[in-house]
Amino acid sequence: MLRKLLRKTPLAWLQLTRNKVRFIVALSGIAFADILMFVQMGFEGALYDSAMKPYRELIQADLAIASTQFQTLISTPNFQRDRLYQTLAHPQVKSVSPLYISVAGQWRNPETRQNRAILIWGVDAGNPSVRLPDPAQQIPQIQQLDRVLFDRAGRPEYGDVANMFMQKGELEAQLNNKLVQVSGLFEVGSSFAADGNIITSDATFLRLFPDRRSDRIEMGLIHLKEGSDVQQVKRELASLLSDDMRVLTTEEWAGVEKSYWETGTSIGFIFGLGVAMGFIVGIVIVYQILYSDVSDHLAEYATLKAMGYSDRFLLSILFQEALLLACLGFLPSFLLSVGLYQVTYAATMLPIKMTLERATFVFVMTVIMCGISGAIAMRKLQTADPADIF
């Protein structure tokens, strides 16, 4: 594609590469603006993906109920457990499972002995309703008191728990100043809200939080009978429950979580502003390059006009230069951003990765950016008058 573009735009290519230093500076400026957009969008995507990951990869249910005040896992209002059991009156509901959630867990690193906050999930030991890598082995483990499953994809500040567990087959640790046994591993990963996760039984959860009442839960998970219409049952359960309860699918709850981080906090705005700033910086850089190029060759452009070339032809050269800059500046920014994503993932454990949609979006933004710069610089080109040189 790039070779075809170069063959079709020989004059624009010669104009750009005549001054090698200016050309390299232009590409560097565009690459910098693109990297800025890639990084901001990468962090924003990692924020949303990590926030929605527990709903998509951990919770296993057809529907879930929670308080209408629910906004995010890190601040979940609880409700009476009896409200969950109310849903069993619906003929299509097969079973229900209460879910306790707390971000107030304190995990003590078995190596450094330092405490660090961790998200704790308390599940019904008889019907956990969570996805586990080895449920046949792990469910019987957490049915025993003071047994927990540890998130191996959590932050390294929790300690090298996964390797220690693999070596010993079991690991004793402290959680909320109580001794617990790590009896298995699972993988969810860190997020902006929590650096790691613990899964345990509801009985162990209540021992870890003695002030918690057993009849107050954060979320209720509902399993439907095979062949049930999920959306129809959701509407009927919403009518069955009072207005203070909300019934959604797990994917819809993931959307609620994303909406909180997107509009309920300043984080989404900050990342969006970073993308906009990168776009503006790119426009300014490309405009300066194209404007300087036109200014340096204004006499030549005027001569071409005197020879009979139209303004349309001369403007096409300018836009070809802008398109070449967009394509050539995007390539190094893409490769460098992929590397930066890998470095960021290793440092933060956030699910940041390059996607086709993001790469396409940044490329289109780069073309628009260079096109706007060309349109602004076009005014200088239109001033090229043959009378000025004859």
Side-chain angles (χ1 to χ4, degrees), residues 29-31 33-34 37 278-284 286-287 322 326 362-374:
I30 295 171
D34 284 353
M37 288 191 285
F279 183 74
I280 294 172
V281 167
I283 290 177
V284 173
V286 178
Y287 167 71
V362 172
F363 177 72
V364 171
M365 292 290 284
T366 306
V367 173
I368 294 174
M369 175 177 71
C370 293
I372 292 174
S373 301

Side-chain angles (χ1 to χ4, degrees), residues 51-296:
M52 295 188 291
K53 199 171 183 179
Y55 300 94
R56 293 173 169 174
E57 299 187 12
L58 183 61
I59 297 176
Q60 189 173 28
D62 297 306
L63 294 169
I65 65 170
S67 167
T68 52
Q69 302 300 314
F70 180 97
Q71 291 181 300
T72 174
L73 287 174
I74 63 173
S75 181
T76 310
N78 54 45
F79 60 93
Q80 286 285 346
R81 186 173 54 187
D82 290 345
R83 308 302 299 280
L84 173 63
Y85 295 143
Q86 243 183 297
T87 63
L88 289 170
H90 194 285
Q92 297 302 315
V93 174
K94 180 180 180 182
S95 64
V96 297
S97 177
L99 186 62
Y100 300 84
I101 306 171
S102 177
V103 294
Q106 289 293 318
W107 173 268
R108 179 166 296 177
N109 187 317
E111 298 169 299
T112 65
R113 315 304 296 173
Q114 292 184 341
N115 286 339
R116 190 176 184 88
I118 196 167
L119 180 62
I120 303 180
W121 303 77
V123 302
D124 181 355
N127 183 21
S129 299
V130 290
R131 293 184 178 89
L132 299 173
D134 187 10
Q137 175 68 26
Q138 293 173 331
I139 290 176
Q141 287 291 336
I142 62 172
Q143 286 175 340
Q144 302 177 53
L145 208 56
D146 298 331
R147 301 292 182 107
V148 303
L149 306 178
F150 185 83
D151 182 5
R152 66 188 308 160
R155 294 278 303 168
E157 285 80 3
Y158 292 115
D160 195 10
V161 177
N163 285 334
M164 295 169 69
F165 173 79
M166 296 297 291
Q167 292 172 4
K168 300 178 181 179
E170 196 169 77
L171 176 66
E172 188 176 77
Q174 286 193 36
L175 183 59
N176 283 13
N177 294 320
K178 293 181 173 60
L179 285 176
V180 295
Q181 296 288 332
V182 177
S183 301
L185 303 172
F186 67 102
E187 187 170 325
V188 171
S190 61
S191 67
F192 279 74
D195 291 333
N197 299 270
I198 290 285
I199 295 177
T200 189
S201 67
D202 46 6
T204 300
F205 182 94
L206 295 171
R207 279 173 60 88
L208 294 171
F209 300 97
D211 295 334
R212 288 289 305 267
R213 291 170 49 185
S214 61
D215 63 341
R216 306 288 298 187
I217 62 175
E218 277 66 41
M219 187 170 279
L221 307 181
I222 302 171
H223 298 273
L224 304 180
K225 295 178 181 178
E226 189 175 351
S228 300
D229 186 329
V230 175
Q231 291 300 321
Q232 180 179 345
V233 174
K234 184 186 78 170
R235 290 190 294 270
E236 292 172 353
L237 288 178
S239 301
L240 177 65
L241 299 170
S242 58
D243 293 339
D244 62 336
M245 299 302 299
R246 195 174 182 186
V247 187
L248 297 174
T249 64
T250 53
E251 186 61 30
E252 289 169 341
W253 280 117
V256 172
E257 185 81 25
K258 178 183 178 182
S259 178
Y260 169 80
W261 290 102
E262 190 173 20
T263 60
T265 69
S266 59
I267 296 177
F269 172 78
I270 291 172
F271 287 141
L273 182 62
V275 174
M277 290 303 297
F279 183 74
I280 294 172
V281 167
I283 290 177
V284 173
I285 292 173
V286 178
Y287 167 71
Q288 289 292 339
I289 297 299
L290 294 179
Y291 183 88
S292 298
D293 180 72
V294 172
S295 298
D296 290 348

Side-chain angles (χ1 to χ4, degrees), residues 1-2 5 9 12 16 27 30 286 290 316-330 363 366-368 370-371 374:
M1 175 183 175
L2 189 56
L5 183 62
T9 58
L16 285 175
L27 295 184
I30 295 171
V286 178
L290 294 179
S316 69
I317 296 175
L318 189 62
F319 279 110
Q320 288 170 12
E321 290 185 31
L323 182 58
L324 282 170
L325 287 173
C327 295
L328 294 174
F330 174 80
F363 177 72
T366 306
V367 173
I368 294 174
C370 293

